[in-house]
Amino acid sequence: MKYASQRVAHVYFAGAMALFVVQLLFGLLVAMVYTMPNFLAEIVPFNILRMIHTNALVVWLLMGFFGAAYYLVPEEAERDITSPLLAYVQFGLLLVGALAAVGGYLLGIHGGREFLEQPLWIKWAIVVVALIFLFNIGSTILRGRRTAVTSVLMLGMVGIAVFWFFAIWDPANIAVDKLYWWYVIHLWVEGVWELVMASILAFLVIKMTGVDREVVEKWLYGIVGLALFSGLLGTGHHYYWIGAPGYWQWVGNIFSTLEIAPFFAMVIFAFTMVWRGRRDHPNKAAMLWSLGCTVGAFFGAGIWGFLHTLSWVNYYSHGTQITAAHGHLAFYGAYAMINLAVITYAMPYLRGVQPYNQVLNMWSFWITTSAVVFMAVTLTFGGVVQVHLQRVMGMTYMEAQDQIALFYWMRLGAGCFVLLGALLFVWSIFGPARVERPAHMAAEPQPAE
């Protein structure tokens, strides 16, 4: 580490990984309910299990983003974080809020809005967390060196905070509610989160390839432009069937089709920079996760999103397992993998042993990624069958569910391997350090300037 305050990232990464495991455990319980509908029905209802699964996902990804920011901003700004104490306070508030929300859900206490079920006081606590973070990181950037990486990261983080206010506002009219509900759900994951992802990826590319910063920054600005141009109006593909004006049919079709562009640009960017840099960086696992996240995001968010984003296709596929396939592969490919990449890169520096447990880490990559891909493909085929049975032949929902039970069992099996891969990752990062460096690398690796 160049700066002592970077150590703050360690606690964020640890918290993120703990919630990652919780998310997967509850995901397995949800998958079991699909295969055995009465499983835990009288103890914890399905909607509560799903609530914890999705909320844990969002919180651990945000926690990882915060940790990544606290690690990379000091190196980019060339100064310590303004207040490490505030960073720890922010982490405590976020963790307490997450645990309180889970406890409330288990007791049946929640707001009821899908994905935004947090009680009102927790939503305001998240606002406080965001303000602390923006002050801490913003003041660090303003007093230090300013780079494209920190500028894009800050823009993404400000967007996260601004659009969160639509989670607090709860309109009485359900059509209006859904219009603004998507400002959080869509503009987070298909807008400002993409900026955070791109900035972290650019940082990793600079550090691991040695490519000139100016070249990376040009690519970064191009990717950000594509993400904002397509993502903002791409919200329209969620407005097809909620009572919005008819012009959203065309806006949604056109701009959501373009949403594949920034993810394709990320793939070209990452692989081009690695080829151009030709730098034999010792942390092969971090490089693997970095390249993998661009491919995963392209297929999960890009290709699988495009499969059912056009209105005349979405008319049939909306709300089926095709949507679930897209959601699982997109979140894993775009945001889980970039978090795992930056954690893999940063932890050797944070622990003072670098790099370590690479073989185990790379095994976790291939096991987890293969299982998620298998899950997505399985749910896609199950969704196609569901569309035909339910939307074409006219079967009821439950009749169609019985016919695709085999796909749910396959999804459950894939979920077990996802959990196995995640546990291997956690052990490789936080377990006993075993130095594994290529024998031909005699010199100690140095972070690129």
Side-chain angles (χ1 to χ4, degrees), residues 49-171:
L49 294 175
R50 180 175 178 270
M51 202 178 292
I52 296 174
H53 174 59
T54 54
N55 278 240
L57 166 69
V58 172
V59 175
W60 89 255
L61 292 177
L62 285 175
M63 200 170 280
F65 288 157
F66 291 146
Y70 281 126
Y71 182 82
L72 71 86
V73 165
E75 287 198 23
E76 290 291 299
E78 296 183 338
R79 70 183 308 275
D80 275 304
I81 296 167
T82 300
S83 175
L85 176 61
L86 272 179
Y88 287 118
V89 170
Q90 175 201 339
F91 173 79
L93 285 173
L94 185 59
L95 186 61
V96 169
L99 295 177
V102 170
Y105 298 158
L106 292 172
L107 295 174
I109 302 171
H110 55 82
R113 295 177 79 193
E114 188 179 18
F115 304 136
L116 303 177
E117 298 94 347
Q118 307 84 12
L120 186 60
W121 72 270
I122 291 181
K123 290 179 178 178
W124 280 111
I126 293 174
V127 171
V128 174
V129 166
L131 291 175
I132 292 174
F133 174 80
L134 292 176
F135 165 77
N136 222 355
I137 291 297
S139 59
T140 304
I141 293 171
L142 290 174
R143 295 175 183 175
R145 182 182 66 159
R146 302 180 195 179
T147 67
V149 171
T150 54
S151 298
V152 172
L153 177 68
M154 195 64 184
L155 178 61
M157 290 297 187
V158 169
I160 289 174
V162 169
F163 289 117
W164 177 250
F165 280 103
F166 290 95
I168 297 173
W169 184 33
D170 188 7

Side-chain angles (χ1 to χ4, degrees), residues 113-116 123 159-160 162-188 232 235-236 238-239 242-245 247-248:
R113 295 177 79 193
E114 188 179 18
F115 304 136
L116 303 177
K123 290 179 178 178
I160 289 174
V162 169
F163 289 117
W164 177 250
F165 280 103
F166 290 95
I168 297 173
W169 184 33
D170 188 7
N173 184 294
I174 191 169
V176 176
D177 169 53
K178 285 300 180 184
L179 280 169
Y180 294 109
W181 180 82
W182 283 113
Y183 276 22
V184 185
I185 307 305
H186 173 96
L187 290 179
W188 264 24
L232 293 175
T235 313
H238 298 297
Y239 289 174
I242 63 171
Y247 56 77
W248 282 110

